[in-house]
Amino acid sequence: MSSRFSIILATLVFSLLFSTSVPTARAQQKPLTAEQQEIVNTVSTIFTAARADDVAKFDSVVAPGFYMFDGGARFNGNSIMALIKAQHAAGKRYEWNVTEPDVHISGNTAWIAYINKGSITDASGAVNQQWLESAVVEKQKGLWKILFMHSTRVPMPPPENDRK
């Protein structure tokens, strides 16, 4: 009887722990405020500009001195746009999307962490890809500007036949 009671108790404790984590996860997905949405839009604009090789649009949302870490290297605005333009010339296309944003604002400074869900397309086809990304932004003259970004590519799972 004692072991049966232990199993029931363990099951009950596990159920309570699991059920409390589900509402917590949902609570993190609360609607964004208008100010938080402006920050998401600012980050999205950098992706729109990069997809179109639009340096002026890119420059409109980054602060002087902007830089980023991506692929193990440091880039400023000019060098990342030059790299993207070279990738486009080589036939690569990128789709980037800010999803699951987590935005924190403190006065005129804020940070955002999000999952960038997109794809990389070349002559061999499209491959879905995700990146874990974050940015630091600052409100300058009433507009949010990106000071710093960081991107880490989520490794692709091994092919199905490699997992067996």
Side-chain angles (χ1 to χ4, degrees), residues 153-164:
R153 188 183 291 205
V154 176
M156 298 295 292
E160 194 62 35
N161 50 358
D162 288 352
R163 287 189 247 168
K164 293 181 181 178

Side-chain angles (χ1 to χ4, degrees), residues 65-76:
F66 163 84
Y67 70 98
M68 68 182 296
F69 292 146
D70 189 6
R74 179 181 168 147
F75 297 92
N76 65 24

Side-chain angles (χ1 to χ4, degrees), residues 57-73:
K57 182 177 278 217
F58 184 94
D59 288 344
S60 76
V61 293
V62 298
F66 163 84
Y67 70 98
M68 68 182 296
F69 292 146
D70 189 6

Side-chain angles (χ1 to χ4, degrees), residues 42-43 46 61-63 66 135-137 144-149:
T42 299
V43 173
I46 209 169
V61 293
V62 298
F66 163 84
V136 177
V137 297
W144 289 104
K145 301 288 184 170
I146 302 169
L147 300 168
F148 171 77
M149 291 182 80

Side-chain angles (χ1 to χ4, degrees), residues 26-162:
R26 285 188 194 131
Q28 293 173 351
Q29 297 300 315
K30 62 185 176 185
L32 298 175
T33 67
E35 196 82 1
Q36 289 172 321
Q37 188 61 53
E38 283 182 38
I39 292 166
V40 171
N41 294 345
T42 299
V43 173
S44 295
T45 297
I46 209 169
F47 296 145
T48 302
R51 272 193 301 272
D53 295 332
D54 188 339
V55 175
K57 182 177 278 217
F58 184 94
D59 288 344
S60 76
V61 293
V62 298
F66 163 84
Y67 70 98
M68 68 182 296
F69 292 146
D70 189 6
R74 179 181 168 147
F75 297 92
N76 65 24
N78 292 334
S79 61
I80 194 64
M81 286 300 288
L83 175 67
I84 292 167
K85 282 182 175 186
Q87 292 293 304
H88 288 162
K92 288 196 179 222
R93 295 290 176 254
Y94 296 87
E95 178 63 35
W96 299 293
N97 299 285
V98 175
T99 69
E100 303 175 44
D102 181 20
V103 182
H104 300 266
I105 301 171
S106 180
N108 286 332
T109 305
W111 63 271
I112 177 174
Y114 55 95
I115 299 173
N116 181 345
K117 294 183 181 178
S119 62
I120 302 171
T121 304
D122 61 16
S124 63
V127 175
N128 290 332
Q129 183 63 62
Q130 291 185 29
W131 299 264
L132 302 177
E133 297 185 341
S134 58
V136 177
V137 297
E138 180 179 67
K139 194 169 245 187
Q140 298 178 357
K141 298 180 183 174
L143 299 172
W144 289 104
K145 301 288 184 170
I146 302 169
L147 300 168
F148 171 77
M149 291 182 80
H150 183 265
S151 178
T152 300
R153 188 183 291 205
V154 176
M156 298 295 292
E160 194 62 35
N161 50 358
D162 288 352

